[in-house]
Structure formats: structure tokens, C-alpha cells
Amino acid sequence: MKLHELTALEITQKIKARQVSAEEVLDAHLRRIEAVDGLPGRLDGDSSAEPSKVHAFITLTAERARAQARAVDEKLAAGQDLGPLAGVPVTVKDIFCVEDTPSTAASKILANFNAPYTATAVERMEAAGAVILGKVNLDEFTYGSSNESSAFQPAPRNPWDTSRVPGGSSGGSAASVAAYEAPLSLGTDTAGSIRQPAAFCGVVGMKPTYGRVSRYGLIAFGSSLDCPGPLSRTVADSALMLQTIAGADPRDATAVTVPVPDYVAELEKGVRGLKIGLSPEYFQITYLDAVTGKLETQPVPDVMKNAVLDAAQRLAAMGAEIVENVPMPHTRYGIPAYFVISRVEAASNLHRFDGVKYGYRAQAGITDLRSMYRRTRAEAFGPQPKLRILMGMYVSAAQYSEQYYNRALRVRSLLRRDFDEAFAKVDLLLTPTTPTSAFPIGGLYGDSVLMQYADQLTVPGNHAGVPGISIPAGLDADGLPIGIQFLGPDFSEDIILRASRAYEVATESESWRQAKPALAE
Amino acid sequence: MDYEVVIGLETHIQLNTQTKIFCACKADSWNDAPNTNICPVCTGMPGVLPVLNRTVVEKGVLLAVAMNADTPPVSYFDRKNYFYPDLPKGFQISQFDCSLAKGGWLDLPMPATDKDPAYVRRVRIHKLHIEEDAGKTKNESVGGYSRRLIDFNRCGVPLVEMVTEPDLRSADEAAQYLTRLRQLLRWIGVSEADMEKAHLRCDANVSIRPVGADYLNTKTEIKNVNSIEAVRAAITKEVERQKAEYAAGRKIESWTLEWDEDSQSLKKMRSKETEADYRYFREPDLLPVYLSDAWKAEILAGFPELPLARRARFISAYGLPEYDADILTGERSLSDYFEQAIAAYGGDPKRASNWLLNDVMRLLNESGLTAGELKLTPAYLAKIIKLVDDGIINTNTGKSLLEKVNRSGQSPDEIVETEGLAKVSDDSALRAVAESIVAENPKEVESYKSGKVGLMGWFVGQLMRQMGGKADAPKARAIFEELLQ
């Protein structure tokens, strides 16, 4: 087994057993990155450069990582206790601040910003012995589902087929894990931004309960929706990482004080007695036809539906009770409500990027304060932030907020009620993660409404604040990964992880489990 | 035409917490160099989050209750969005539609004047909420270019914004409101309320209307008034201007005016065409503020009697004149001191008040201390007044004793004992001294006997000097009268 193919758990075990040093593990991953990642994303970079490479990174912090790896090795040599992530290489979505490291949000406006402090989730991983490899690419400010909107090009590509997108917005995270550049990555999920790229890249991605993981240091998109969470190749690794990053934080008032269970210890307890629900609303996509304005419904492709039904059968065989036809009547309102709520929050969250304190400031044509604001924001925000600012400003204006924003908040309560009623009957919901597998680069970019339907099955969980996971469930006819999703009630991460692990066990001998992305080294 | 003046005041009150409202930086930056009391949170770095300082809520609740406002069990923070360089997040965290307090009022006692008898003006509170302060912008010109310098020290300093209804009817009433508000803020310990240090800031909305009208005319807003006297002067000026405008047949426009302290005049800052849309929405980074009954009870434990109520009680219960009651309730420590002193004294409260207003106030002014900090405790003061009342010491000795007690912290009895300050009323001792004075001053004796009876004061004075001021003067006089017959 090659070192870079080890899971995080295996790495910690081998380091503790002194079979390998943290620095050797780091070197193996740095070599892998060198071999498959290609050019890092940079401002004004060529989007079509090196089309067979992964391009997950914006900033590789190899020196910082080496210092951390050596510290682990020295601790071990000194006989000191090692943390639960000792020596595990981790990539971090470049939406988190890490002290003295460029923290760009994949935007020109923050391209020169070195954060003066470290995000809580990163700080906790570092304290647990993790080795932070660097910052990986994303859609600008997380606004997208493909990574194509990054101001840092080339954008990440899907390791399974580099002509396709890795998904987004945590595309660099998912791609780096799928390409064996790191066993773990820290992502964020506002409407599906961990789960959808995880599904596209054939990895595990978990969106925890809102408030389970501190948002301190996460450059905000939709503050009431954003959740940091793990991406990994195995369920156990996500459990291990969540264990480390979860918990109350005195710097985040919305981080909850609910105790963090031992997710790893719970993993193998199986699904016997669990009630797992299937919902008809999650086997279809409902959308407004852009031309006719009519509400249209399309079933998800059979391959997605069959993956869910197959999983249900396997779990039933392991003792779970499958409950069909769990109604989730408001699912189709998830995206419109998300469009309004997330954009109001986003527009406000982007106010601080004004050229005054940090980041980009326009130099030419400045006549007064207003022109400095206007030019700075016009020159340094890409199309996605601009669209979101426009819409967010519009729907929160005094004369429209009742019609849009307040109405969207009421819809959000209805979505929450769907989950409350479902979880009164079942322990978990099992659904497809996405309506499609990874789409071709350039395929949907620019049509942001249609691209957002990639989130229709994931965004209700963000509205409701409930936890969800996407786990690999096979390959489609094109050899592209597909994902299935578990959703559970607040703080049911332990149960979700258990069920996910059970499915992993049940499919252990399937041939797709052995498949790996074929990347030229 | 006779006009009625209509004034509403908008005040910003800096709460005297240790730390800022949403981070651990210290709240007060007075005299600190610019941008030295800041952190990622209060400078709005990407990714930071606010965490509410509970003391801010507690002080806000104290003020709300003192202003007779209701405090709903749940309130929310909202974002007020606008761009300005000294607002680092591009929004201010404030409260909008569900704030910490609802309603409220303050009754202002307006003193009698030559024209009018005393009356009470009730001022209703339109809104009261907590919010964070912004930074300070300094404009300067360098080489023909103007530039802005931003100091973020003040960002995140906790404020209460309190706005009155347009219930004030004169510049004097506006000044009285601020005087009483400042007194109240210090009394309940929520703010230092120093206007010069911008702990208490005031904008005044001013309009006039014909007497008897019930509509509101267009108002102007006066900003940058940094003292109570400035508020009075600025409003007076603006009322004159508005009267002149109407008299000339012109209209009042909705201007924002700035008070220039140096020239004592108002300058137009801008015209207010439209109301800004701040696109308020709930602050998603903060939880609702749940003010439970238990928490509220904890906050209000030991809530004091308020100054105006105490003032009224001093008048009714102790029979003090308004003047005395006003001064004695000007500051909480002094009024507590007074009550403790009269409890220990047991005599006429007015007599104790005289001692306080004349002598104790002088000690306070000289030392800069509050009454509660004096070494001259209320019990010692009471003892000194009793010593004088009982004829043990005379009034002058009493006054110097006051200072000795305050310097040393020793009890008055001890000092009287060790320094032998007690009045000499022993007949034989007085007689011996008086006889020697008569013997040594034959000329004065002669004059007296020949009819210059005014010399009696001189004889008593001689005796007092020789006896170190401790003699019982009426007794000494009687002895001299006998010797000089």
C-alpha cells in the first residue's frame, strides 16, 4: 500500500506504532500533489492549462506542513501523547482563515489577504496533530456548484474525468481527497457544497448540524446556513475529523454546547432497528421552466434512484426497517427560499470588502470615496458575487422584504416542519445526493439558476439545519461516481455515520469499491 | 404669530462596561493612540463573529427600567447595512423592530421662573435599544488632497440609543432632559455620561408650530452638540432662525445642521432628501436575547431609588427646600451620605443639610472624591454636629474638626479628647484669665467704664485668643460684665 493511499485512521495508527514517520507521510502526499495536481490556481491564470491535472490547490504551504509533521515526530520521539489526527495531512478550503497564510475565498478582492488569525476548525485540527497541506480552490466566495467561478484558474477538475467539474463549492476539497492528495479536507456546506462535490468525486462528505462546528474564521456566505464539515474517502475518517472539529466555541455564539459523542466508537454498531425513510419528493426534481414559466417535474435518473433503492435493500438486510413514502411536501421550495435568504445574507456579508482595510483597492480613476468603493468592487468581484449582491440588495429593500425575504423565512419554517414530521416517524432519510453525476466543464456555467438545481436535494437540510452526508454509491455508465445521502434530525451525526458505515460494509466486495481515478502521474 | 417649540432628542449613551459589546477589547479607549485597542472581531476581518457581552444587556435593562420602559422577554439583533469607512463590517449590529425595551418616560421637574410657576414635563421614549459604536473618521488635507484617517478603537463600544418623542417644548426643557438623564445614568451606574468624552451624545430634532396646532412641521436635525449648554444654545438659535424663516414667508427645509462651538452658530451639513434604506434583517450570527424572569430579577437586585423620587421624598419627608433636595440628590453617593448622616444625627434634617451643603460639599470639591469615599463618614459628621448642638465645642471648632477628621480618619471624640478642644465653661478658669486681662489693660478698662461699651467684644476676643478659641463665649462675656462694673 502506498503511503498516500492510507486513510487518516491508518496514518495515525502507523505513526503511533512507529511504522512510519509523519514527515514520510507528508513527503508521500507532497509527491502525489506534485505528480497529479499541476499548476495551482492563480489570478488571471489560464483556465484550460494542463487539462489532465487536478488543480485542487491555490496555496500549498509545504514548509508550514513540514514544521507540523516534524513536531509530531518529535513529540512521538519524546514519548509525548499524540493527538487524534497526529501526522494526518489535511487540505483546507480557501474560505477559512489560517494565520499568516493567504486566505483568498478564490476572489480577486482577497487575493492579497493574509489572515491575522486561524479559524477554530483549523486550529482544532492543528492542535490534534494534523498537518495542514494548504488551501484548496472553490467557487468564488463559495458561490457555485462547479468551481468554475473561481478567480483562481485553472479551477479544480474532477479526478475521475478531468474534462468534468469536481462539483462545488468545496470542489478543491473533494478533488484533493479523491485524487489521494490528502485523506481529509475541511469544506463548507451552505446548500450542498460539501455533499454535492463529494458525490461528484466519489468521496464521503458530511454537513453537520448547524452549530455543531464553529464558523469562526469561515468567511461567511449565508451565515444562517453555512456549516463547516469533513470530506474523506472513508466514513471512519469523516467521523474522526468531525470528532476533532465539533463542539462549542466561545468565539461563535451559534456553536452549540451539546456534548460531542465519540463518533468513531459508535461506527460499527450497525443499523439494526433503525427506521430509514424514503421520500417520493427526493426522487424528482421540480423546477420552473425558464421559457414557459411553468412548474415542471422530472424524475431523477434511474441510476440515482436505483442506487438509493439498492442501499435501502442492503440496509434492510442488515436489520433496518425501510419506511416508504415519507412526505416532504415543501422540498421544491428549498431552492427559491435559498435564493432569497442566502443572497440577503451574502450581500450583507460582502459589505466589508470595500477596499478600505484589506484586500484589493482600485487605483485608477478614484475621485472620491464613492468612486473608490464602486471601482474596487466592480474590478475585484466576479460575476457570481455581483449577481448575489444585486439580488440580495433587491429582496431585502424595505419595499420588497415582506414579499421576498420574510416570505422566504416562512417557507424555511415549513421546510423545517417537513423534517420534524418525518423524523417523528423515521430515524433517517435516505435519498440521492444529486440529480446528476459530474457535468462537463463549461456545460452549465453562466446559467446559475439551472446549476442551482444540483442543490435541490441537499439545500432543504441547510434550511432546516439538520445534518446530512453523501457517501459513494457506485459509478454510472460513464464511470462517474454517484452519491447517496442520509439526512437525520439535529445532532444525529453518530447515527448517520453508523448507517453510512453499515452501507460501506455491505458494499465492501463490490467491484466499484476497488475503482480509483485514473490520473496520469 | 406665537409659536410653540417642538423638540425630540436622540441620545447615544456609551455604557461603562469593561469590554466591548462583541469582543474582548477594552471598551474605553480615551487617550489611547489610534488603532491600538482593536482585534479581528471589531475591525471586521473576514470570517469573524460577534459574541454578545452579557453586561451590555444588563446595563441596558437597568436603564430601561429606570426609564419606566417595558423589557420584553425576547429581543433580537439586526444588521443595519450601509457603507462608511469607519464601519468596518459595512453594517452596524443594532436592534430594529424587537429591541430590548418598549415605551418608557421621564418626568422632568421644571423649576419656577419669573414668568412661569414650576411644572413637570413628561417626556415619552420612542425607542431604546443596544448597538455597537462605529469608529472615528478624521478628515485632513495633505498637499491639496483630502484624505480620511480612520481610528477603529471605538468600533464595538457598547451604546444605548435612546430617542424621545417630540415632547420637549423649549431649549430649557431639552437641557433639563439631558441634565436629568446624565444624573440618572451615573446614579444607576451604567455610563460615565461625560458629554465631553462623548459618553453621552445628543442630536436634537427641532421644529416650531403655531400655538394650539396639533400637527408637526418640517424639522431640522442638529448634530455635534457636545455639552448641555451647547444643546440649549443651538436649539435657541435654531428656533430663532425658524421663526424668522416663517416670518419671511419661507419654508423650513429638512436640513441636517451642525453646531459650531467656536462661533456659536449652526452650519448646514446636508439636505435630507430621502430616508436611507438600511435593509435591516436579523443578525444571523447572534442568538435572540432571552431575558428570563430570573435573569431580570438578578439584574434588578438592589435597584436603587431613583434621583427624582428621592428628591421628592427629601422634600416631603424631611421638609427640605427644593434647592437643598436638588443638590443632595444630584449624585447618588451624596444622597446616600445625607440619609446615613441624618439617621445617625437624629436632629433637624435641615441642620444636617446646611452642614453638608456648606462644609462637606467644599471637602468634596477640593478632593474630587465622592461622598462615600470621604474619611469623614456620615456617622462622624453627625457626631460633630451633635458636639456643637450640645455646646461641647463651638461652631468654629466644629468646622475645623470636620477637616481634621477627614484628614486623619480619627473619630471626632478622639480628636476632641487628645487635642483638648472641648469648650471651657469652668467658671474659675475663665475668671482667672479674665481677671489678668482686666489687670493688664487699664486703658481699655478706663475707656469701657467711661461708656465705650463696644469694647466688650475686644475683651472677649482677648480671652478667646488666650484660651485657644475653646472658651464658652456667653459665659466669658458675663464674667467681664461683672468685673468691669
Side-chain angles (χ1 to χ4, degrees):
Chain A
M1 176 85 95
K2 294 168 186 164
L3 281 182
H4 67 260
E5 290 181 0
L6 296 175
T7 67
L9 263 180
E10 287 165 347
I11 289 170
T12 60
Q13 285 156 4
K14 283 187 187 294
I15 288 177
K16 278 173 192 159
R18 297 169 198 260
Q19 291 165 356
V20 64
S21 72
E23 203 168 357
E24 286 166 335
V25 171
L26 170 64
D27 282 331
H29 285 88
L30 290 176
R31 279 195 302 274
R32 175 70 179 172
I33 292 164
E34 171 77 29
V36 303
D37 205 58
L39 288 169
R42 63 180 176 84
L43 278 188
D44 307 317
D46 175 5
S47 63
S48 59
E50 299 179 340
S52 60
K53 297 292 186 187
V54 177
H55 308 293
F57 277 85
I58 290 178
T59 308
L60 183 69
T61 52
E63 279 178 39
R64 183 191 177 97
R66 189 165 302 284
Q68 289 173 336
R70 282 185 179 154
V72 168
D73 289 334
E74 281 159 17
K75 262 191 161 177
L76 186 66
Q80 290 169 4
D81 276 350
L82 295 183
L85 291 180
V88 177
V90 178
T91 61
V92 174
K93 187 178 183 179
D94 203 8
I95 196 74
F96 289 93
C97 288
V98 176
E99 193 173 354
D100 292 334
T101 301
S103 299
T104 70
S107 179
K108 183 174 180 180
I109 209 158
L110 281 178
N112 63 0
F113 177 67
N114 275 299
Y117 73 100
T118 298
T120 297
V122 177
E123 196 176 83
R124 286 184 177 168
M125 289 195 290
E126 288 185 326
V131 172
I132 308 297
L133 294 172
K135 310 295 274 305
V136 286
N137 217 331
L138 62 149
D139 288 287
E140 184 175 357
F141 279 106
T142 79
Y143 303 162
S145 310
S146 73
N147 274 210
E148 290 164 286
S149 72
S150 174
F152 287 68
Q153 296 287 340
R157 291 169 178 268
N158 194 314
W160 293 84
D161 176 349
T162 56
S163 72
R164 292 180 184 262
V165 302
S169 64
S170 304
S173 288
S176 67
V177 170
Y180 293 87
E181 296 175 357
L184 293 179
S185 187
L186 177 64
T188 63
D189 191 314
T190 307
S193 274
I194 287 175
R195 289 162 289 165
Q196 183 256 23
F200 280 14
C201 291
V203 299
V204 177
M206 184 166 215
K207 171 222 171 296
T209 311
Y210 184 80
R212 177 73 295 179
V213 179
S214 167
R215 292 181 294 119
Y216 187 76
L218 156 62
I219 299 172
F221 165 15
S223 308
S224 71
L225 301 156
D226 295 342
C227 292
L231 293 100
S232 62
R233 290 187 298 271
T234 66
V235 173
D237 279 4
S238 276
L240 179 68
M241 179 165 155
L242 182 61
Q243 186 90 54
T244 306
I245 61 177
D249 180 4
R251 291 174 298 189
D252 178 359
T254 63
V256 295
T257 52
V258 177
V260 179
D262 187 338
Y263 298 120
V264 179
E266 296 288 308
L267 268 185
E268 305 293 342
K269 290 194 175 167
V271 289
R272 186 161 301 282
L274 283 188
K275 287 185 183 164
I276 296 176
L278 304 176
S279 171
E281 281 80 11
Y282 277 79
F283 290 116
Q284 65 189 36
I285 294 296
T286 307
Y287 63 100
L288 279 175
D289 186 283
V291 179
T292 65
K294 277 189 186 159
L295 207 56
E296 304 280 352
T297 297
Q298 257 185 37
V300 299
D302 283 347
V303 64
M304 300 294 174
K305 184 173 186 180
N306 291 339
V308 172
L309 296 179
D310 173 71
Q313 264 181 1
R314 289 174 194 260
L315 295 168
M318 297 170 95
E321 183 189 334
I322 304 301
V323 180
E324 289 190 63
N325 289 319
V326 177
M328 299 292 284
H330 298 97
T331 303
R332 69 188 174 92
Y333 299 111
I335 286 193
Y338 165 76
F339 258 60
V340 172
I341 293 168
S342 70
R343 278 145 183 77
V344 169
E345 294 181 0
S348 174
N349 286 330
L350 291 177
H351 266 238
R352 71 187 64 198
F353 306 109
D354 57 7
V356 172
K357 309 161 290 281
Y358 45 70
Y360 182 83
R361 181 191 289 182
Q363 296 303 320
I366 308 294
T367 52
D368 61 1
L369 180 66
R370 269 175 100 84
S371 67
M372 191 281 280
Y373 283 153
R374 283 181 172 165
R375 282 184 175 263
T376 295
R377 291 165 66 90
E379 290 169 19
F381 280 137
Q384 281 302 321
K386 283 175 183 165
L387 283 168
R388 286 166 204 238
I389 289 166
L390 282 173
M391 183 169 169
M393 299 281 251
Y394 183 85
V395 298
S396 61
Q399 68 269 41
Y400 299 120
S401 63
E402 185 53 37
Q403 192 178 343
Y404 292 107
Y405 183 63
N406 293 337
R407 198 164 167 197
L409 292 179
R410 287 193 291 276
V411 170
R412 190 172 181 177
S413 312
L414 295 175
L415 281 155
R416 171 73 199 192
R417 200 160 73 198
D418 280 0
F419 283 102
D420 287 342
E421 286 172 4
F423 294 135
K425 289 182 284 219
V426 299
D427 295 300
L428 299 174
L429 287 169
L430 173 60
T431 82
T433 308
T434 56
T436 65
S437 56
F439 34 82
I441 288 170
L444 286 166
Y445 185 66
D447 188 350
S448 82
V449 174
L450 198 58
M451 219 160 83
Q452 290 294 341
Y453 288 105
D455 297 336
Q456 188 164 88
L457 308 180
T458 47
V459 73
N462 296 80
H463 281 301
V466 298
I469 199 170
S470 178
I471 53 174
L475 302 170
D476 69 6
D478 296 323
L480 295 170
I482 55 176
I484 55 172
Q485 174 177 239
F486 286 109
L487 293 163
D490 293 347
F491 307 110
S492 64
E493 286 87 351
D494 50 348
I495 298 168
I496 290 176
L497 288 163
R498 254 168 64 191
S500 301
R501 174 62 190 149
Y503 175 77
E504 220 173 42
V505 171
T507 53
E508 223 158 28
S509 55
E510 294 299 317
S511 60
W512 58 266
R513 280 269 172 219
Q514 311 312 318
K516 284 179 188 166
L519 286 164
E521 293 221 354
Chain B
M1 190 184 293
D2 280 347
Y3 286 101
E4 178 179 49
V5 178
V6 179
I7 302 163
L9 295 182
E10 179 177 329
T11 48
H12 284 90
I13 298 152
Q14 181 175 328
L15 299 177
N16 57 355
T17 52
Q18 289 295 306
T19 57
K20 292 184 180 180
I21 183 168
F22 299 127
C23 64
C25 292
K26 69 186 167 77
D28 189 37
S29 293
W30 187 249
N31 282 338
D32 287 353
N35 298 312
T36 55
N37 184 26
I38 56 175
C39 74
V41 175
C42 58
T43 53
M45 286 287 161
V48 298
L49 298 170
V51 177
L52 178 63
N53 177 351
R54 282 168 63 92
T55 313
V56 172
V57 175
E58 292 170 353
K59 300 218 175 214
V61 168
L62 282 174
L63 179 56
V65 171
M67 293 300 296
N68 307 293
D70 292 331
T71 52
V74 56
S75 63
Y76 298 88
F77 285 99
D78 300 275
R79 289 190 185 176
K80 180 180 180 179
N81 297 284
Y82 65 95
F83 285 98
Y84 206 68
D86 62 21
L87 186 72
K89 296 188 297 296
F91 56 83
Q92 180 190 29
I93 303 179
S94 182
Q95 295 189 300
F96 185 49
D97 55 338
C98 295
S99 62
L100 193 69
K102 289 265 178 285
W105 45 265
L106 188 64
D107 276 345
L108 302 179
M110 295 303 298
T113 62
D114 298 344
K115 285 188 293 176
D116 300 303
Y119 63 98
V120 171
R121 170 71 67 203
R122 172 158 295 196
V123 184
R124 293 164 301 152
I125 299 305
H126 173 65
K127 69 176 186 178
L128 191 169
H129 67 247
I130 49 184
E131 63 184 22
E132 61 177 338
D133 207 347
K136 276 191 280 197
T137 301
K138 189 175 148 194
N139 292 297
E140 59 171 40
S141 188
V142 179
Y145 290 95
S146 67
R147 64 175 185 182
R148 287 178 169 80
L149 299 176
I150 319 284
D151 178 5
F152 291 119
N153 281 352
R154 211 177 63 186
C155 289
V157 168
L159 298 180
V160 165
E161 179 179 315
M162 194 159 79
V163 182
T164 74
E165 297 287 353
D167 288 347
L168 295 156
R169 293 290 172 269
S170 69
D172 284 342
E173 289 185 11
Q176 180 72 347
Y177 174 81
L178 288 174
T179 306
R180 293 302 176 183
L181 175 60
R182 184 176 63 183
Q183 173 189 33
L184 184 68
L185 294 170
R186 292 173 177 168
W187 192 276
I188 60 175
V190 302
S191 173
E192 304 309 312
D194 189 338
M195 287 187 86
E196 281 71 31
K197 291 186 181 173
H199 296 151
L200 176 58
R201 283 168 248 164
C202 178
D203 300 333
N205 289 302
V206 180
S207 65
I208 60 174
R209 64 185 175 193
V211 170
D214 59 0
Y215 54 85
L216 289 172
N217 272 327
T218 304
K219 65 182 192 298
T220 55
E221 184 178 4
I222 307 173
K223 288 194 172 290
N224 191 30
V225 270
N226 295 328
S227 71
I228 292 173
E229 278 322 301
V231 170
R232 193 198 309 270
I235 292 174
T236 304
K237 277 266 161 66
E238 175 58 9
V239 168
E240 282 167 15
R241 187 189 72 84
Q242 291 190 9
K243 283 181 182 169
E245 289 296 296
Y246 283 127
R250 288 190 289 265
K251 280 187 169 177
I252 298 301
E253 288 178 68
S254 178
W255 288 348
T256 300
L257 304 162
E258 189 177 32
W259 177 246
D260 186 88
E261 186 67 38
D262 295 334
S263 65
Q264 294 281 301
S265 64
L266 289 160
K267 288 178 179 157
K268 181 181 163 188
M269 286 170 77
R270 57 180 177 264
S271 304
K272 272 197 168 175
E273 286 117 12
T274 51
E275 286 290 308
D277 181 358
Y278 294 111
R279 297 184 295 107
Y280 281 99
F281 70 97
R282 292 272 183 269
E283 170 54 86
D285 292 333
L286 289 167
L287 303 176
V289 179
Y290 297 104
L291 182 65
S292 65
D293 289 344
W295 190 19
K296 189 172 171 184
E298 197 182 305
I299 296 167
L300 296 180
F303 190 79
E305 181 185 28
L306 295 176
L308 291 172
R310 187 168 283 189
R311 176 182 179 274
R313 185 167 58 80
F314 279 11
I315 294 167
S316 62
Y318 301 136
L320 294 183
E322 275 197 19
Y323 174 84
D324 289 37
D326 235 357
I327 296 180
L328 289 173
T329 57
E331 191 260 322
R332 185 171 162 189
S333 177
L334 181 67
S335 75
D336 288 344
Y337 188 100
F338 173 70
E339 293 222 83
Q340 288 161 21
I342 57 167
Y345 173 52
D348 177 11
K350 174 60 181 155
R351 184 158 163 76
S353 169
N354 290 345
W355 277 80
L356 260 160
L357 296 192
N358 296 324
D359 302 287
V360 177
M361 288 292 279
R362 186 168 41 77
L363 290 181
L364 292 174
N365 291 337
E366 285 166 1
S367 63
L369 298 174
T370 63
E373 295 166 338
L374 290 176
K375 285 185 186 163
L376 176 74
T377 62
Y380 287 167
L381 174 67
K383 181 69 195 173
I384 292 170
I385 306 173
K386 267 194 276 189
L387 287 170
V388 175
D389 287 354
D390 294 348
I392 311 282
I393 56 175
N394 63 31
T395 304
N396 283 337
T397 307
K399 296 200 167 179
S400 65
L401 185 55
L402 212 72
E403 306 208 10
K404 287 178 182 165
V405 170
N406 197 47
R407 261 199 306 279
S408 65
Q410 275 185 297
S411 78
D413 285 336
E414 274 175 353
I415 297 178
V416 168
E417 175 75 34
T418 54
E419 298 191 13
L421 296 182
K423 237 168 21 180
V424 180
S425 46
D426 174 0
D427 244 28
S428 58
L430 290 177
R431 185 171 295 274
V433 178
E435 281 171 351
S436 72
I437 290 169
V438 168
E440 288 161 20
N441 296 287
K443 251 173 48 198
E444 280 75 11
V445 171
E446 197 61 33
S447 298
Y448 182 86
K449 285 187 173 168
S450 67
K452 285 186 95 176
V453 289
L455 277 169
M456 177 52 75
W458 182 86
F459 283 107
V460 175
Q462 289 297 308
L463 178 135
M464 280 304 224
R465 199 162 64 221
Q466 290 193 20
M467 300 191 73
K470 291 181 293 180
D472 184 333
K475 223 163 223 171
R477 188 184 183 92
I479 290 168
F480 276 116
E481 279 172 352
E482 186 197 318
L483 293 174
L484 296 171
Q485 258 177 3

